[in-house]
Each structure stands twice: as C-alpha cells, then as structure tokens.
Amino acid sequence: MSRLENLRAVVSRPQLANLLGIRPSFLTYTLYVRGVSSQYCKFSIPKKAGGKRYIKAPQKELKYIQSALSTLLLDCLDEINKEKFPKSELVSPKAEHSKTLKVKCNSARVKQPSLSHGFERQRSIITNSMMHLGKKNVLNIDLKDFFQSFNFGRVRGFFIKNEYFKLDPTIATTIAQIACYDNQLPQGSPCSPVITNLIAHSLDIRLARLAKKYSCTYSRYADDITFSTRERIFPPQLMREDDGIYTPGKRLKSEIQRSGFSLNDRKTRILYRDSRQDVTGLVVNQKPNVKKEYWRTVRAQCHWLFNIGAFTMVVDGKDIEGNINALEGKLNFIDQLDHYNRLRQKPALNPKYQLKREVKGRDSLKARRYLFSAREKTFSQFLFYRLFYANDKPTILTEGKTDNIYLKSAIQSLAASYPKLAIENPYQLLCHFVSYTERTRFLLELYGGADYLKGFIDSYKDNFEMYKAPKPRHPVIVFVDNDSGPKDIISRVNGLGEASVFPPKIEKVKDVRKADFTHLMKNLYLVLTPRSEADKDTDIEFFFKDEDRLRKFNGKYFNTVDNRDETKDLSKEAFARNIVKFQRKSIDFSKFTSLLDRVVAVIDHYETIK
C-alpha cells in the first residue's frame, strides 16, 4: 500500500503513531500528558521591511512528531501528483537536469504544474523566480497573517473533507492537535508549511485559472503571490495602479477572500521591465540573481574577514560584529544560484562544472579554477579561510569518507583517553573532518584520494598567503595510508625545503614513512599510518582486529588486501557504514591508539610553534 492509502486506512491513534514511526505511548504522552500548550517557546526576529516576526517554535519531543508528520504528508503529496500527472517528469524525468530546472510547464498533460514553490520538494525561491523571468510586468502581492489564517477547525476539516485524504475524524483531530497551537498553525513548526500548501492548493488552482484568462503566469511561495505577463500593460482586471495606489480586481479579491485570506495592501506592487523586477527577493529581469547591493555587501564582508579576521553587519540600523556562519550561508546561497545559472547557460556545463569543449585535451580534469567567476573565486577563498586558515578546531583530511568514519568511530570509543580530540560526556568531537562534495571538488580541488591531496599540498602555501588576518590557531592534518597510494605525496614532501619530520631522531625527510608526523609548512602537517612490526606497508583497515574486520553483513565480510575479491567481499563503504559505524560499541579500537597518538602529537607540536 502507498503512504496515502496507509494514512486513509488508519482509524486509531496507535495506528497513526506507527505510521509516523514513533511509539504510541510517546505520542500520547507528548500530546495529552504534557500537553501541546506547554511545549512551545516564543521569540521574535526582525523583518527586512521593519517590524518583527513572531515565531512559536516547538520543543524537541513535539518537533520530532511534527517532522514525522511533515515527511508523511510530503510523501502523500508526491503520490497525489504522480496520480494526477502520470506523464510528468516527477514520475519519469527526461530532461538531463530535470531535478534542478523542471519548473516551467506548458501542459499539465506532460509535466507537473509548478504553482506552489514554498517548502515543497524540488522547489525553492529559485524555481519560483524562474516562472517570471523576462516578463514585461510583474505583480507581487502578499497574503496578510498567512499562518494565522489556518485555525484548528480548518485544518481538521480539510483532512476529513478533502477528496484525496478523507481521513477518519479521530485521526484528523489528532493531526490538528499535533499541528496547531493557540488555534492556529504556528510559524516555527516543521509541519505548518506543508499543511498550508495542501489547504491553499484550491486557491492556487483558482488563481492560476484567473491568470491564464488574462495571459499571465501565476506562482505562490508561502504568503507571497506573483503574477507576471508579457503584455505591455498589466491586466487591470487583476490589479490597477493609479498614482501609486493599487486596486485589486473584483475577481482576484473575491477568490482570495473566498479562500479565507486577505491582502496586505502595503506589499502590493507592479514592477515594470525598465526597472528592477524581483520575486521573493531575487532579481528576474534576465536570470534569477541576488540584488547587486546584496553581493557588494557580502564581498566587502569577505574582504575585511580575509584581512583583519572580522567584519561587521548592520542589524536594525546598528553595526554589530559579523557572524561567520551567517556569511557562509549567504555565500552558499549565491553559489547555489551561480550553479543553477551555469546549468542553464549555452553551451551548458554539466553538474561537475566541466565545459567539455574546454576540458578536452587538458592535462588534468581537476584544474577548474580557470572557470571561476569573481563570485566563485571569493567563495573558494572563503572556504579555504574557514576550513584551513581560521579553523576553530584541528582539521583532518583523509583519503575518503570511509576513513572519516573509521577515525570518528575510534575517537568516540576512546574519548576518555583522548581529551584533546573529544569530550566524553556529553560526547563532543573536538576536531573537524572535511567532507568531500562536488562543491569542494570544484571550489577547492578537493575530493579525497592521494592525487587530490597532493594538489592540495602543492597549492597550500599560495592559498595561505592570500590572507592577512591573524595566524591560524589550529593545525590542518593530511592523514593517509602508508602504502603505495601516497607515493606522489611523499615525493612532493621530499621536495619541500621547509618540511620537518618528527620525532627529531629521524633526520632525513626521506624517512617520512617512518616518522610519527611531518610538519610541511605553516599549519599543515602530514600523518601516515604506522608501519607494521615487519616494516611493511599499512592501510587504515590494518588497525582493525581480525574478529571485527571479518564480521559478516549479508553473508559477506571485509577481507584483507591480499585476499580481497571485489566481486564477493564486502565493500569498504558497506564495512564502514554497517559494521564500524553501527556496531561501534562492540568493536575493539585498541590498535587505533597508535593513529590517534600521532594526531595528538601534531596538536601538541603546533601549540609550541603557533
């Protein structure tokens, strides 16, 4: 049965709890013993246009239930769309970048319509703005007190009466109890957005029909509604402007009021082609983009950060100390837009940012910096600064995600013996492991593997010297196997005049493989796994005991390098995830002390020279 069919078949609270993946006793205790009214905290955040937005955020237990409900309803919504539009790209994607670019839909018979873009899967303010690119006139209107317009009775009644749900009244009541607070859907609840979208879908349908009648495109992002047209004059039947005063058409006003909403007249505006047109904060004249002043502010903040290690930001008209997490969020969003627009350009870049006609014949596919725009160059510099120059804890780069899992699991199991690597209770990791993504591959030329790490070492000094901010407080540790894999790294280290091996009794840099660690330059170190007692190569899996390494999963186990058969044995990924990570508490990590001791030795050494 589908998730929607399962939900419609539920007739009791314990059944609903099981469908949500929670214990029935937990649902009962949270809703009826503790009570919903005691599980919210209230706070306010400033609005961009002035004033304050009041948030009612649920506490941990209630939020967990609401998140499970949100996931269930989103699954149901996907199933409804697949049933309504069986030939849509949602069911069988055909476009190469359909997950990213599938927003404009010429026919409901072919593609899934894109009416609502807020808090929906594969939708965002980017897809919302795409609906209105290059239009002559754009109308933005705002629904007043949007979340407060959905009271307990409206939520309960929807799930009882809607043709797709038609839930048992007891279940509809329970859903409304999970979702509502103070007789409304609170902003801050994980399930409020998806419920508002479900209920407001009838409004979307009616306004989309009205838009089509007057040659307009319609979309909604939460309480922000946008109409756009290629007509020279915006249809007065929808909205008329006289000397800056906006008067909504009778039909538009009627449909909004009929759905239980009202217009926020202060936010109504028509934007013309010869002015800056924006939709949900993005400029849409030619391509979805941030406003120029937004990027100038971000660029200036990065400049001060790179030069003095701090920056300011304006909040409520006052200069306050800048928050580096907020700055990274802005840069991430700009990068998301740049990525999106790269996929739309001609000739198109593939998701790995490779221009096939330019990459062909180049010596290395990793050398992508020649493709950087000015914004991507700034973001690349920020990521290097954040991860390696101004890292707030020791940073470790391994050859891949499996090594990260091994070391994290070992540290957690041995936390009591390594207070410089972790706090035991409550557990907190005191070092940072770099996760490799397509973003790090493009912007930092980092993707794991010895070849990428060698390139990272090669360019480290040049990248490091771009900054004038206070010097790093923590080391960066490249952690690799002591086998044939890192031979190019070893060769590169031998050519570094400033490299030093430790302990000091090892005099030659050529003895890197025998060293506890090697200080390469600045705050950069190299650590290799210790050699075996017979002075033979080792990899990180060598330090698992046989009884742990040979644990079976689905009838397979992780063999030694010499005996490994990739077609029959457990893969590294499966071993790391299903044995090491999930069975960590019963694994003997005692041989990993020789690895962790080297990491601690690096931390201690850097304390003496920083």
Side-chain angles (χ1 to χ4, degrees), residues 461-479:
K461 186 175 182 180
D462 289 339
N463 288 330
F464 189 96
E465 291 179 348
M466 288 190 295
Y467 311 103
K468 298 179 181 177
K471 294 298 183 281
R473 295 181 294 114
H474 300 285
V476 173
I477 305 168
V478 176
F479 193 107

Side-chain angles (χ1 to χ4, degrees), residues 414-433:
L414 303 171
S417 302
Y418 292 93
K420 292 187 178 181
L421 300 181
I423 297 173
E424 184 180 16
N425 190 21
Y427 180 74
Q428 181 183 349
L429 190 63
L430 298 181
C431 50
H432 174 69
F433 287 84

Side-chain angles (χ1 to χ4, degrees), residues 7-13 15-16 20 27 31-32 69 72-73 151-162 165-180 185 191 195 199:
L7 179 58
R8 293 181 66 170
V10 168
V11 294
S12 67
R13 292 192 187 99
Q15 289 178 334
L16 176 62
L20 292 174
L27 177 66
L31 291 186
Y32 307 113
L69 176 60
L72 172 62
L73 294 177
N151 59 30
F152 184 95
R154 189 175 184 181
V155 173
R156 178 181 181 274
F158 170 82
F159 286 107
I160 293 174
K161 297 176 182 178
N162 181 265
F165 288 92
K166 293 184 179 178
L167 302 186
D168 181 276
T170 301
I171 302 306
T173 301
T174 304
I175 288 176
Q177 289 171 333
I178 293 172
C180 294
L185 288 176
C191 62
I195 293 175
I199 298 176

Side-chain angles (χ1 to χ4, degrees), residues 142-158:
D142 183 80
L143 298 178
K144 189 176 182 180
D145 299 328
F146 182 67
F147 284 91
Q148 293 90 319
S149 300
F150 300 88
N151 59 30
F152 184 95
R154 189 175 184 181
V155 173
R156 178 181 181 274
F158 170 82

Side-chain angles (χ1 to χ4, degrees), residues 498-526:
E498 55 191 308
S500 303
V501 293
F502 292 86
K505 64 182 180 180
I506 300 175
E507 298 177 354
K508 297 180 180 180
V509 173
K510 290 184 178 180
D511 292 327
V512 166
R513 290 187 179 275
K514 298 179 181 179
D516 289 350
F517 64 88
T518 304
H519 181 215
L520 303 181
M521 66 190 81
K522 311 298 182 182
N523 65 332
L524 183 63
Y525 290 80
L526 175 68

